[in-house]
Amino acid sequence: MEGYWCFLALLASALLLGFCSVVFALVWVLHYREGLAWDGGNAEFNWHPVLLITGFVFVQGIAIIVYRLPWTWKCSKFLMKLIHAGLNTIALVLAVIALVAVWDFHNAKSIPNMYSLHSWIGLTAVICYALQLVLGVAVFLLPFAPGSLRATLMPIHAYFGLLIFGTVIATALMGFTEKLIFALSSPGYKYRDSPPEAIFVNVLGVLILVFSAVVMWMATRPHWKRPQEPDLKISHRNGGTLDKEGSTMTDCSNAEKSDVEFNSEAARKRNLKLDEAGQRSTM
């Protein structure tokens, strides 16, 4: 892998930045706000930033670069697809719970829903993310889509994945600003006065912004891309085929490749013997 140590440094930075972002979110709601609860009050709203930063930012970012981890390249592609889909599913579930929390809080406080740009873009991002996940599972994980369709949709799938991730980061930054403007309204403790909470949350925003920049850089470097695996198909006597990529083998061995090579070599030897027998019979 070209630039292996640079990749490791960026990976460690991404993990550290993402972990610190989650910790900062928890400190924000536990120290500066009312904590966490599910009672229709401010503490229920606090689940919104915590779950979104944990799932929609941190977990989604790891899901984007999981294919780039070089020590997973010897694992079967199917296993990596399961991990990728699983991480994205976790992120989606946490995002949905976060939306339920803020909706429940607004209804309990008689606050209108879906009136701000933050809410418009945020809900759009969740819907697009859900569609991206469903279509990804249907096309790339389940063994029904033809290879030509997968090859056509792969660049589109990758592009929209990064687009949604970038949209989530922008929405989070808007949410931070909106929350601080509403919450810091006491005289001498307004957002414009830069109280400690405002500075703390601004640092949180910088953390997730840098985290997203590192993830996007790692995800767009062509020399860190998982090596291409050709669709290896094994012919059977009944005319059917078995696609290596769709195999249920999920271990990290090269057993499929070895079996194919062994069968191909055996078939070649049988053909040679048949040719020799045919030549002797015609002499």
Side-chain angles (χ1 to χ4, degrees):
M1 181 186 194
E2 182 182 345
Y4 178 73
W5 293 109
C6 180
F7 176 87
L8 287 184
L10 289 175
L11 177 62
S13 300
L15 293 174
L16 180 61
L17 288 166
F19 180 76
C20 288
S21 298
V22 175
V23 173
F24 265 58
L26 287 170
V27 173
W28 177 26
V29 301
L30 295 176
H31 178 68
Y32 291 102
R33 298 285 100 201
E34 296 80 5
L36 295 170
W38 201 274
D39 55 4
N42 292 328
E44 181 174 348
F45 173 87
N46 292 340
W47 282 110
H48 184 70
V50 170
L51 293 179
L52 284 179
I53 292 173
T54 302
F56 232 22
V57 175
F58 186 36
V59 177
Q60 184 186 177
I62 300 304
I64 290 174
I65 60 175
V66 70
Y67 281 117
R68 302 272 166 154
L69 305 180
W71 46 88
T72 66
W73 289 353
K74 62 179 67 175
C75 298
S76 67
K77 187 69 173 291
F78 184 71
L79 172 61
M80 299 312 300
K81 288 181 178 180
L82 287 176
I83 296 174
H84 179 69
L87 290 172
N88 281 302
T89 301
I90 293 172
L92 179 61
V93 170
L94 295 179
V96 170
I97 298 175
L99 289 182
V100 172
V102 73
W103 235 284
D104 193 46
F105 166 75
H106 281 181
N107 293 335
K109 299 293 184 181
S110 299
I111 299 175
N113 291 303
M114 301 302 300
Y115 67 89
S116 65
L117 181 61
H118 167 73
S119 59
W120 288 10
I121 298 179
L123 183 60
T124 301
V126 173
I127 294 173
C128 291
Y129 190 78
L131 293 175
Q132 171 91 339
L133 178 59
V134 171
L135 292 176
V137 170
V139 175
F140 300 105
L141 185 61
L142 300 180
F144 304 120
S148 58
L149 178 62
R150 294 183 179 186
T152 301
L153 294 181
M154 176 54 71
I156 301 175
H157 179 75
Y159 168 77
F160 275 100
L162 292 177
L163 177 62
I164 293 171
F165 182 62
T167 302
V168 168
I169 300 301
T171 305
L173 298 179
M174 285 190 292
F176 292 160
T177 302
E178 182 179 301
K179 176 63 178 177
L180 290 175
I181 291 175
F182 290 158
L184 303 182
S185 56
S186 301
Y189 200 77
K190 295 184 177 181
Y191 189 22
R192 65 187 180 188
D193 298 321
S194 297
E197 180 180 356
I199 296 175
F200 186 86
V201 178
N202 285 348
V203 173
L204 171 58
V206 173
L207 285 175
I208 68 169
L209 180 63
V210 178
F211 170 76
S212 66
V214 174
V215 168
M216 289 185 178
W217 179 265
M218 295 173 67
T220 54
R221 298 309 92 194
H223 52 279
W224 291 341
K225 187 177 180 181
R226 179 185 174 96
Q228 184 69 29
E229 296 181 7
D231 289 338
L232 194 55
K233 296 184 178 181
I234 308 170
S235 298
H236 294 277
R237 293 179 183 178
N238 60 1
T241 60
L242 175 63
D243 192 345
K244 176 186 175 184
E245 184 175 296
S247 172
T248 57
M249 293 285 291
T250 58
D251 61 317
C252 297
S253 67
N254 291 323
E256 299 101 327
K257 183 177 178 181
S258 300
D259 290 342
V260 173
E261 292 176 349
F262 176 80
N263 293 335
S264 300
E265 182 66 19
R268 187 180 66 83
K269 291 182 179 179
R270 286 197 300 270
N271 291 336
L272 288 176
K273 290 181 179 179
L274 289 175
D275 291 339
E276 293 173 359
Q279 291 176 0
R280 288 196 298 268
S281 64
T282 56
M283 289 180 65

